[in-house]
Amino acid sequence: MRKKKKILIGAIIITIIIIIFLLVKIALGPAKYEVKFDSAGGSAVSSLKVEDGKLITKPKDPTRDGYTFVGWYYNGEIFDFSTKITKDITLEARWMQTGEGKVSGVSLNTSSLTLKVGEEETLKATIKPSDAKNKDVEWTSSDEEVATVDEFGKVVAKKAGKTTITVTTKEGNFKATCLVTVSEDKISVVGVHITGDTTVYVGKTIKLKADIRPAEATDKTVTWTSSNKNIATVDNNGNVKGISEGKATITVTTKDGEKTDKVTITVKKEEVIPTVEATGIEISGEKEVLVRKDITLSAKVIPDNATNKKVTWESSDNGIATVDANGKVTGVKSGTVKIRAKVDNVVAEYEITVKEDKDAYVIKIKNKELELGGSLQVIYEVYRYGEVITNYQSFQYGKMTVTPESGTLPKIDNSITSTTLKLSDGTELVVTIEY
């Protein structure tokens, strides 16, 4: 009984102690820690007090003559200011000496590179600062089975895969990397063939083409050379220029496999063809055309060896007859008109008479609307040889069948330019509709 009483008293005492500790802690507030900054010879940075589990704000960077501030370090590693503080710590400043030709960094001209097996590319490393005295570097490949790199940064693709090329400065141990991706084996060139003209005039240029075999070869790079640049020159695109009369051999060479092909180019002086001026034009063809009908005239340029034989045509009155670029004359209304043919300064005229076609029918839309039966109606008339006629049975206007009794049309449709007219005797004719 006494033993149980002692245990109970002990438990009560412990509980009282815990309560007192908690009350003291509440009274004193949350724990605070101190973060000190060792500027390592730089300008002083004040320490900070921070509550348990809180973050600190990064202070202003210190300064130090002849040095560049690198960052704050803790236990040998750069300190992450997003880290919660749970104890007293001291952060140490790291410095990098500036000036006096000290290396401060290195970079590469590209961070990634894609090559095919057998291809090569040289990486360029830039040391910082530019006036650094020691610019020695070391090149390494993380997987030399995929790609190798030599002391000059030349990367050679070996097999499909990926590898990281690293350049490291001898001074300061600064690094820069490039990820190299090597694709499947390349398709090698097996041959090349030159196509194009083989004759060029002095001062003129022709283009040669190099057909690579196979067409899907990976590297189609070629170089062009001339055996005699005093006769003919050739540029990197296969453009051959004639320099003087003679013959020259043009050679194309592929970069892959050094396959070649040759062609002999003949350079000639360009013949000067004398200009022969036209002295006359002879026009021939029918002299009459009916209204809405056409005829075609022809023109012969004299002499036969005239340099320019391109004839242009024009009508003296397009209201009577028109003429197109091929000499086709179309009658518009009765009358007389002159059709002219021209070559350079030579002009010839041909008189054409336009007559009405007595057998021609035409439907003329008067474009005058009348209000009949509460709606607008369009007036039309059927003509034959200029006279209005009514001796027809019907004609089609769109979906409407029109008879002489109709007298009007419901509306104008300019897209309808011809139709079938049925005469009183049952004859059907294709006629023109004029607006």
Side-chain angles (χ1 to χ4, degrees), residues 12 48 51 107 121 137 143 154 183 203 261 265 269 275 282 290 292 309 324 330 346 375 435:
I12 293 172
L48 298 174
E51 292 182 1
S107 62
E121 188 79 25
V137 296
D143 191 343
K154 185 173 75 173
S183 59
D261 191 24
I265 297 295
K269 280 188 177 180
T275 300
E282 291 182 355
L290 298 176
R292 292 179 293 277
K309 292 187 177 183
D324 67 10
T330 302
V346 179
S375 62
Y435 292 90

Side-chain angles (χ1 to χ4, degrees), residues 22 33 48 90 110 135 154 181 197 199 203 228 239 265 325 362:
L22 292 174
Y33 299 108
L48 298 174
T90 299
T110 182
K135 295 188 177 182
K154 185 173 75 173
T181 302
D197 294 335
T199 300
N228 192 336
N239 296 308
I265 297 295
V362 63

Side-chain angles (χ1 to χ4, degrees), residues 165-217:
I165 302 299
T166 303
V167 62
T168 306
T169 63
K170 292 290 183 68
E171 179 183 311
N173 202 41
F174 296 99
K175 300 178 185 295
T177 61
C178 174
L179 177 63
V180 177
T181 302
V182 180
S183 59
E184 295 297 330
D185 294 346
K186 71 173 185 177
I187 300 175
S188 299
V189 174
V190 298
V192 62
H193 177 64
I194 298 175
T195 60
D197 294 335
T198 57
T199 300
V200 62
Y201 292 107
V202 173
K204 302 295 183 180
T205 300
I206 59 173
K207 184 175 180 62
L208 298 179
K209 181 182 178 183
D211 290 331
I212 304 294
R213 298 192 306 270
E216 60 273 14

Side-chain angles (χ1 to χ4, degrees), residues 11 34 74 99 103 111 120 143 157 166 191 222 228 266 278 287 294 312 385 391 401 425:
E34 184 177 23
Y74 180 67
V103 175
S111 60
E120 60 186 46
D143 191 343
T166 303
V222 298
N228 192 336
T266 301
K287 290 184 174 290
D294 57 70
T312 58
Y385 193 47
N391 62 333
T401 300
D425 61 2

